[in-house]
Amino acid sequence: MDTEKAYREIVALAGGRDAARAVVNYLHDRLPASSWVGLYWVAGRDLVLGEWTGPEATEHTRIPIGRDVCGAAAASGRTEVVSDVSKDPRYLACFPPTKAEIVVPIVAAGKVIGEIDVDGRELNAFGPKDQRFLERVAEVLARMRVGER
Ligand code: SME
């Protein structure tokens, strides 16, 4: 994937209507390793599922901050890259085919306000290039979300 081109396209999408959904759809279509893409937004002490795209819905629509992989990333403010979910005791299974996951916090004014959660069907689905790209996308989403309020 040409991440520079993808980044420019994401920035363009973020200016439009229903921008978070457009960004999620874009990531699901264009990020080769992704099988499911969702945004969780912080609500009190929980993460609450917002926009998502994938073959099926997850029953985990509310995850306490600090729990599971999603909650760990929200608590630390740092990206979690899980190359083999079967080896991570924090992993909360949503979809049987998922083998790897990346969770990228969305940070605004020093506070985690949400995160991007991407599942993949291959082991080691996400590398440093995906991490850098998604961290830039998270910055775009942070600016967009703050602009919405
Ligand atoms: N696997 C995540 C839960 C969210 S689902 O993947 C959509 C976790 O361990 O926190």
Side-chain angles (χ1 to χ4, degrees):
M1 187 178 64
D2 177 347
T3 50
E4 282 309 316
K5 180 164 176 271
Y7 178 73
R8 285 196 302 274
E9 288 174 351
I10 296 254
V11 169
L13 289 175
R17 282 184 68 190
D18 218 353
R21 175 156 309 286
V23 171
V24 166
N25 288 344
Y26 184 97
L27 291 176
H28 184 257
D29 288 352
R30 307 290 180 86
L31 201 61
S34 76
S35 52
W36 187 94
V37 180
L39 301 180
Y40 283 88
W41 297 107
V42 170
R45 294 181 180 183
D46 293 336
L47 291 157
V48 175
L49 184 64
E51 302 79 359
W52 63 272
T53 305
E56 52 182 319
T58 174
E59 61 186 287
H60 305 299
T61 55
R62 185 174 279 267
I63 297 173
I65 293 171
R67 272 238 304 266
D68 314 317
V69 178
C70 285
S76 69
R78 282 194 296 275
T79 297
E80 293 283 348
V81 182
V82 182
S83 48
D84 180 351
V85 295
S86 74
K87 300 219 164 77
D88 193 322
R90 301 169 307 172
Y91 176 67
L92 171 68
C94 286
F95 314 109
T98 294
K99 296 228 169 47
E101 181 170 27
I102 183 167
V103 182
V104 180
I106 300 169
V107 180
K111 270 178 59 184
V112 176
I113 61 165
E115 59 189 32
I116 308 170
D117 179 17
V118 185
D119 283 34
R121 288 202 188 90
E122 309 288 332
L123 290 171
N124 302 305
F126 307 106
K129 194 177 160 199
D130 300 296
Q131 177 172 349
R132 278 195 298 275
F133 169 64
L134 288 171
E135 286 175 350
R136 291 174 75 199
V137 174
E139 287 171 17
V140 175
L141 289 167
R143 288 199 293 273
M144 186 203 83
R145 183 79 171 186
V146 168
E148 264 174 16
R149 285 180 183 159

